């Protein structure tokens, strides 16, 4: 990969991360590359009348065809469709990982899975976290005078760790820091700027029933299903007053509107990491789908996407009213490949028979060996600034940090990403491209390595196994392995698998033995560095340890 502005490997800065905007921290790039970087950055910045606001909406477990603008025919998402159809829809877009936490770590730091601090949902220590030396999008934009906010699901730093959002450049943070706790929608507390904030209206919510419901197929729901009244409104069980229970996504949408209002007169970056439509399926209102001849989970899935769509519409309407929409770049993406099968009790990666929302790629979430694990819907809207249409520029979500820095006129640290700001601003001759995109790991593929290079998709399940090669321009389903016909391509990919990977201290590295992994875990336990996640609502803990005792947690009732 060419080492120019907005690109790079794992070579980190030689000074502290908060000095990354200074000249001396970039000397390792080489004088010529620095000059190119500064010219590109300053030219783009000068073309913009003022620094644009940046809103990044990260949808959790969105299927490729869950939006009607992406082919969904059973339900509509009009607000998101309006943005997608009037923005740039990237048709060759990928997430940084096939699962939640590392995808978020990659997005925030601009690193691929061979270099990212977070490489899977769990390390040998548990739910691991970013370190203070890691540089996030928020920290980069703060150097440019941006107000920074995070709302929703974080997943890359438990409360109190250096990876928490309030320690990673966000002026304001609200939501679930713990990823596992975000697998529920009626929490008894959420984190606000590093401190737990109680939600007594949700005390006693029956999360155990909901977790049972979550794994059931659609024909075995009766005794554990969610209850809705004749109007299609949810009747949450176990809480003090059903009508007063707080749905987390309603709280997130309110906080997003408040953040936008508060920062209307300054450039802002809002990372809105919604839970929707990640399971368990549950929604405050079935809405237009109440009387559909569908099973309950299909009604809920459509309504959850409708809830997300409505919330985005409210944000857009507010920015229009405040007369800042034309100075706000809105990014929208899914975080990983197909996962809906898991919430509906279907076989692994099987498409939905009603919504047909998977897309054409094989496999899905948790698997990095095939495109289905990392292909995501991705579009960018900027009123009156972006020419609408599809674009086949090869991009990945670890490009976002470099792109945001370009738009803000800020020099970023060295990352694995390439800014696609020239594509957004209709300057294709200035758009640099990736030689390759790289992935590794995944819950269902812990030793795998994968590459997208030109028309080629290649993967290796384990360093001891052969590399498989597919020409996805002709074989989108990756059925015909052509490795033996292209030894030159295999030789280059073999080199990439070596050069793109730097060993992780706590995550499983490709090819590590069970003995090596066990030794890592023993080391983690001995160091006292285990990171214990807690399931949704904490009263339902499963096999995890309880969270630290505090006044708020003491008030939450046990089951």
């Amino acid at each position: 990969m060419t080492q120019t502005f907005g690109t790079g490997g794992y070579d980190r800065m030689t000074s502290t991360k908060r000095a990354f905007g200074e000249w001396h921290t970039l000397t390792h790039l080489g004088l010529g590359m620095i000059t190119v970087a500064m010219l590109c950055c300053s030219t783009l910045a000068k073309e913009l009348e003022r620094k644009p606001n940046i809103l990044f909406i990260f949808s959790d477990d969105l299927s490729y065809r869950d939006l009607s603008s992406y082919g969904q025919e059973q339900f509509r998402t009009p607000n998101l469709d309006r943005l997608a159809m009037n923005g740039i829809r990237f048709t060759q877009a990928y997430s940084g990982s096939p699962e939640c936490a590392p995808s978020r770590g990659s997005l925030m730091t601009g690193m691929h899975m061979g270099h990212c601090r977070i490489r899977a949902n769990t390390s040998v220590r548990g739910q691991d976290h970013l370190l203070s030396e890691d540089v996030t999008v928020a920290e980069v934009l703060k150097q440019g005078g941006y107000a920074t906010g995070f709302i929703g699901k974080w997943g890359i730093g438990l409360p109190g760790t250096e990876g928490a959002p309030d320690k990673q450049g966000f002026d304001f943070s609200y939501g679930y820091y713990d990823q596992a706790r975000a697998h529920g929608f009626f929490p008894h507390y959420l984190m606000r700027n590093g401190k737990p904030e109680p939600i007594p209206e949700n005390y006693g919510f029956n999360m155990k029933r909901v977790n049972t419901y979550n794994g059931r197929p659609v024909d075995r729901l009766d005794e554990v299903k969610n209850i809705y009244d004749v109007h299609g409104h949810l009747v949450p069980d176990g809480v003090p007053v059903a009508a007063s229970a707080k749905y987390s996504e309603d709280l997130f949408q309110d906080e997003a509107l408040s953040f936008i209002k508060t920062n209307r007169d300054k450039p802002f970056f809002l990372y809105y990491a919604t839970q929707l439509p990640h399971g368990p399926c549950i929604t405050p209102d079935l809405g237009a789908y109440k009387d559909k001849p569908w099973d309950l989970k299909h009604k809920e899935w459509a309504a959850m996407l409708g809830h997300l769509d409505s919330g985005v519409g409210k944000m857009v309407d507010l920015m229009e009213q405040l007369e800042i929409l034309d100075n706000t770049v809105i990014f929208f993406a899914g975080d990983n490949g197909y996962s809906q099968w898991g919430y509906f009790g279907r076989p692994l990666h099987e498409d939905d028979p009603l919504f047909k929302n998977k897309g054409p790629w094989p496999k899905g979430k948790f698997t990095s060996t095939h495109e289905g694990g990392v292909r995501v819907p991705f579009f960018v809207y900027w009123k009156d600034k972006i020419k609408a249409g599809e674009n086949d520029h090869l991009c990945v979500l670890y490009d976002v940090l470099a792109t945001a820095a370009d738009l803000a006129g800020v020099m970023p640290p060295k990352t694995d990403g390439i800014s696609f700001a020239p594509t957004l601003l209709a300057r294709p001759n200035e758009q640099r491209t990736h030689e390759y995109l790289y992935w590794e790991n995944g819950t269902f593929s812990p030793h795998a390595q994968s590459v997208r290079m030109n028309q080629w998709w290649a993967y290796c399940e384990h360093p001891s196994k052969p590399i498989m090669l597919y020409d996805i321009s002709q074989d989108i389903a990756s059925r015909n392995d052509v490795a033996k016909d292209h030894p030159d391509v295999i030789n280059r990919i073999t080199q990439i698998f070596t050069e793109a990977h730097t060993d992780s201290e706590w995550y499983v590295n490709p090819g590590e033995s069970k003995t090596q992994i066990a030794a890592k875990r023993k080391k983690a336990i001995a160091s006292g560095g285990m990171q214990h996640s807690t399931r949704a609502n904490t009263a339902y803990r499963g096999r995890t340890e309880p969270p630290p005792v505090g006044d708020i947690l003491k008030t939450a009732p046990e089951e």
Side-chain angles (χ1 to χ4, degrees):
M1 192 179 295
T2 305
Q3 302 296 296
T4 53
F5 171 60
T7 73
Y10 197 52
D11 184 19
R12 304 299 292 171
M13 298 170 295
T14 57
S15 184
T16 64
K17 70 174 182 176
R18 286 174 176 79
F20 62 79
E22 298 177 20
W23 179 274
H24 68 87
T25 65
L26 297 170
T27 55
H28 66 283
L29 286 174
L31 182 59
M33 295 178 210
I34 296 171
T35 303
V36 171
M38 296 185 71
L39 286 173
C40 291
C41 191
S42 61
T43 301
L44 283 172
K46 286 179 181 177
E47 287 191 3
L48 304 176
E49 294 180 5
R50 49 188 171 144
K51 293 179 183 290
N53 304 314
I54 298 173
L55 168 60
F56 194 99
I57 303 168
F58 211 21
S59 181
D60 197 0
D61 276 2
L62 182 76
S63 310
Y64 197 86
R65 302 205 188 286
D66 270 339
L67 305 185
S68 37
S69 50
Y70 277 73
Q72 181 52 239
E73 297 180 351
Q74 297 298 324
F75 56 86
R76 311 299 296 174
T77 49
N79 295 296
L80 287 166
D81 294 342
R82 194 172 303 115
L83 298 180
M85 299 308 291
N86 288 285
I88 291 180
R89 301 182 303 286
F90 288 96
T91 59
Q92 297 196 75
Y94 295 84
S95 62
S97 168
E99 56 197 49
C100 294
S103 181
R104 291 155 204 278
S106 178
L107 171 69
M108 284 290 100
T109 64
M111 295 294 182
H112 64 51
M113 286 298 100
H115 298 151
C116 191
R117 186 74 58 193
I118 311 298
R119 302 195 188 184
N121 275 348
T122 57
S123 74
V124 298
R125 303 200 304 174
Q127 187 182 136
D128 228 310
H129 56 79
L130 297 179
L131 299 183
S132 59
E133 66 200 67
D134 295 312
V135 183
T136 66
V137 182
E139 288 171 313
V140 171
L141 294 179
K142 278 178 71 69
Q143 296 292 310
Y146 277 68
T148 55
F150 155 74
I151 295 170
K153 173 180 172 179
W154 181 243
I156 49 179
L158 294 174
T161 69
E162 58 195 297
D166 53 287
K167 304 287 181 57
Q168 289 290 334
F170 286 96
D171 302 319
F172 173 78
S173 59
Y174 180 76
Y176 300 97
Y177 289 10
D178 185 331
Q179 175 168 292
R181 289 199 66 256
H183 298 167
F185 291 86
F186 290 89
H188 67 262
Y189 73 94
L190 289 169
M191 300 298 294
R192 182 185 294 273
N193 299 327
K195 297 180 180 179
E197 184 172 89
I199 309 175
E201 295 90 342
N202 291 347
Y203 288 177
F205 179 75
N206 191 351
M207 195 66 216
K208 188 171 185 178
R209 177 195 60 77
V210 173
N211 273 288
T212 303
Y213 174 74
N214 185 45
R216 290 282 184 91
V218 296
D219 59 351
R220 292 200 300 112
L221 303 178
D222 286 347
E223 73 275 20
V224 293
K225 68 181 180 181
N226 299 318
I227 303 300
Y228 296 85
D229 66 20
V230 294
H231 303 293
H233 300 148
L234 179 70
V235 183
D237 54 325
V239 299
V241 180
S244 299
K246 305 294 185 184
Y247 190 65
S248 56
E249 287 293 325
D250 288 335
L251 300 175
F252 295 161
Q253 290 176 5
D254 289 345
E255 292 291 344
L257 298 178
S258 176
F259 179 86
I260 292 169
K261 290 177 184 176
T262 299
N263 296 285
R264 60 188 293 182
D265 295 324
K266 66 186 78 167
F268 65 76
F269 167 55
L270 175 57
Y271 172 37
Y272 186 80
T274 172
Q275 299 165 265
L276 295 169
H278 192 295
C281 292
I282 191 167
T283 182
D285 188 354
L286 294 173
Y289 308 105
K290 176 176 71 74
D291 297 320
K292 287 284 186 179
W294 305 339
D295 61 78
L296 181 58
K297 282 194 176 183
H298 280 91
K299 294 178 184 181
E300 289 172 327
W301 189 265
M304 290 165 77
L305 283 157
H307 193 284
L308 168 60
D309 184 75
S310 174
V312 171
K314 291 174 183 176
M315 284 188 267
V316 172
D317 288 347
L318 175 62
M319 290 187 288
E320 188 80 86
Q321 294 167 15
L322 298 176
E323 299 182 347
I324 59 173
L325 183 61
D326 61 348
N327 194 48
T328 302
V329 189
I330 302 175
F331 297 77
F332 180 91
D335 67 336
N336 49 242
Y338 192 62
S339 66
Q340 192 231 36
W341 51 274
Y343 310 124
F344 283 63
R346 295 196 305 274
L348 182 68
H349 300 146
E350 183 179 287
D351 197 2
D352 188 282
L354 174 63
F355 293 157
K356 296 179 171 55
N357 52 0
K358 179 178 180 179
W361 302 283
K363 300 208 174 178
K365 185 177 179 178
F366 302 127
T367 305
S368 64
T369 56
H370 290 72
E371 280 194 282
V374 289
R375 275 277 194 162
V376 293
F378 179 44
F379 62 80
V380 182
Y381 170 85
W382 193 357
K383 183 180 179 182
D384 300 330
K385 300 288 196 310
I386 286 179
K387 184 178 180 181
E390 293 186 341
N391 192 288
D392 64 359
H393 172 66
L394 182 63
C395 61
V396 62
L397 296 185
Y398 54 77
D399 291 335
V400 168
L401 187 152
T403 304
D406 250 3
L407 295 173
V410 179
M411 179 69 72
K414 192 179 180 185
T415 70
D416 292 314
I418 294 177
S419 169
F420 51 82
T423 295
L424 298 181
L425 299 175
R427 293 164 55 172
N429 293 336
E430 299 177 22
Q431 180 63 65
R432 286 164 293 111
T433 58
H434 287 280
E435 181 198 349
Y436 62 82
L437 306 181
Y438 176 81
W439 298 268
E440 63 181 54
N441 215 315
T443 297
F444 295 165
S445 55
H447 295 278
Q449 293 176 279
S450 304
V451 161
R452 167 72 195 272
M453 183 173 69
N454 299 322
Q455 79 269 33
W456 306 111
W457 178 272
Y459 76 88
C460 180
E461 290 186 353
H462 188 281
S464 65
K465 294 186 177 182
I467 295 173
M468 313 293 282
L469 181 68
Y470 304 93
D471 181 351
I472 56 176
S473 67
Q474 306 294 324
D475 180 19
I476 195 170
S478 297
R479 293 192 177 98
N480 183 28
D481 176 20
V482 295
K484 66 176 187 246
D485 300 325
H486 300 278
D488 55 333
V489 177
I490 294 299
N491 286 339
R492 177 60 187 132
I493 288 169
T494 301
Q495 294 172 351
I496 291 170
F497 283 171
T498 298
E499 71 184 42
H501 172 81
T502 299
D503 276 355
S504 169
E505 182 178 11
W506 301 118
Y507 289 90
V508 175
N509 295 302
E512 283 186 327
S513 67
K514 291 182 179 180
T515 301
Q516 290 173 311
I517 296 168
K520 275 188 172 183
R521 180 170 178 81
K522 184 177 180 180
K523 176 184 174 183
I525 294 172
S527 69
M530 299 301 286
Q531 304 294 305
H532 295 292
S533 179
T534 305
R535 290 184 180 272
N537 292 70
T538 70
Y540 180 65
R541 294 193 179 103
R543 292 178 294 176
T544 61
E545 293 186 5
V549 174
D551 291 341
I552 288 168
L553 301 182
K554 285 179 180 177
T555 64
E558 296 287 340
E559 288 185 322

